[in-house]
Amino acid sequence: AQTVTQSQPEMSVQEAETVTLSCTYDTSESDYYLFWYKQPPSRQMILVIRQEAYKQQNATENRFSVNFQKAAKSFSLKISDSQLGDAAMYFCAYRVRRDDKIIFGKGTRLHILP
Amino acid sequence: KAGVTQTPRYLIKTRGQQVTLSCSPISGHRSVSWYQQTPGQGLQFLFEYFSETQRNKGNFPGRFSGRQFSNSRSEMNVSTLELGDSALYLCASSLQTGRTGELFFGEGSRLTVL
């Protein structure tokens, strides 16, 4: 079964500091996407970063970067220079390329401390 | 470009009633997926439609149904509502399967069942 596990229900980080959110997944597929989605208190889910499984290079989007370890089935998100606007629920998600179904983890609520 | 639009945003129903939720995808997107979000279960996949055909279905009872129209707009219906159906229902749209992999989410419809 395809599953996504986020072991940290809640985390806090000081503004301007760096924080890493953990995610592991289980799959027998070889061609898939991994995502981190952000859901601020206003609720609309937005994509933070995407990683294609066949790409070895870790994806980076400004202050957001991932550490993709395919063999270990690990996909962590690093947020550098944390800002108050980063406070949100973060969901790790997985999708097989041929399918539109996304499997989400339970989420990590991130608090930014001023 | 307009985003994914869901209506209504909030609604209150009583047990036994039925409800219909609507989703208008981003222009040009032909795939629409529905997710149920609850505090306990997180985000769970309901179903996915592409070109008016249901391609994928999650593990929900038959009381949950959906459809997609020729203009890609989608509706989901829940009949014989139960208290446990109270949730945020999210709709997401995407281009053809296998393209960018990204889903674009609406703000959701918050259903409360009394």
Side-chain angles (χ1 to χ4, degrees):
Chain A
Q2 298 159 348
T3 58
V4 176
T5 302
Q6 295 178 249
S7 58
Q8 307 147 316
E10 210 157 345
M11 294 188 72
S12 296
V13 64
Q14 210 72 38
E15 196 176 1
E17 296 293 308
T18 295
V19 64
T20 298
L21 280 56
S22 302
C23 173
T24 58
Y25 60 97
D26 188 24
T27 183
S28 57
E29 300 281 344
S30 60
D31 191 8
Y32 52 88
Y33 296 102
L34 292 164
F35 309 91
W36 279 97
Y37 277 91
K38 170 185 177 181
Q39 189 178 40
S42 64
R43 298 187 325 215
Q44 186 164 28
M45 194 96 67
I46 55 174
L47 180 69
V48 175
I49 199 164
R50 172 181 61 224
Q51 175 80 42
E52 296 182 65
Y54 68 86
K55 290 186 177 178
Q56 292 187 329
Q57 187 172 7
N58 288 326
T60 299
E61 288 287 343
N62 301 313
R63 298 183 294 107
F64 299 87
S65 61
V66 298
N67 183 4
F68 174 45
Q69 303 288 327
K70 191 171 184 179
K73 296 180 181 173
S74 170
F75 184 62
S76 61
L77 174 70
K78 185 172 84 171
I79 306 174
S80 304
D81 185 25
S82 297
Q83 300 175 0
L84 294 177
D86 295 333
M89 183 73 89
Y90 286 82
F91 292 95
C92 178
Y94 157 94
R95 171 184 170 180
V96 177
R97 181 182 287 273
R98 65 175 183 278
D99 198 344
D100 269 352
K101 171 183 174 182
I102 287 190
I103 298 170
F104 287 87
K106 296 281 191 186
T108 296
R109 183 168 297 283
L110 179 64
H111 302 278
I112 310 295
L113 306 174
Chain B
K1 204 179 216 182
V4 178
T5 304
Q6 292 188 245
T7 57
R9 293 285 307 279
Y10 303 90
L11 65 166
I12 299 174
K13 295 284 187 179
T14 56
R15 279 181 299 175
Q17 287 186 310
Q18 73 164 15
V19 66
T20 298
L21 309 178
S22 178
C23 172
S24 293
I26 291 173
S27 177
H29 285 193
R30 296 168 62 191
S31 173
V32 173
S33 305
W34 289 89
Y35 291 82
Q36 182 196 64
Q37 186 177 14
T38 59
Q41 298 298 317
L43 281 147
Q44 293 189 289
F45 173 77
L46 279 156
F47 26 65
E48 183 244 336
Y49 289 87
F50 182 82
S51 292
E52 303 178 64
T53 301
Q54 186 182 87
R55 289 199 301 195
N56 225 328
K57 190 178 189 327
N59 190 24
F60 278 81
R63 300 185 297 106
F64 291 81
S65 63
R67 59 179 175 169
Q68 186 181 35
F69 302 94
S70 58
N71 61 358
S72 294
R73 189 177 71 85
S74 177
E75 288 181 347
M76 67 162 283
N77 183 277
V78 187
S79 62
T80 319
L81 284 166
E82 301 177 359
L83 295 178
D85 297 333
S86 294
L88 180 66
Y89 290 88
L90 293 171
C91 168
S93 75
S94 70
L95 292 169
Q96 284 183 294
T97 299
R99 292 289 181 88
T100 67
E102 178 180 356
L103 292 188
F104 295 83
F105 286 84
E107 292 188 333
S109 293
R110 168 75 66 185
L111 171 64
T112 301
V113 182
L114 302 177

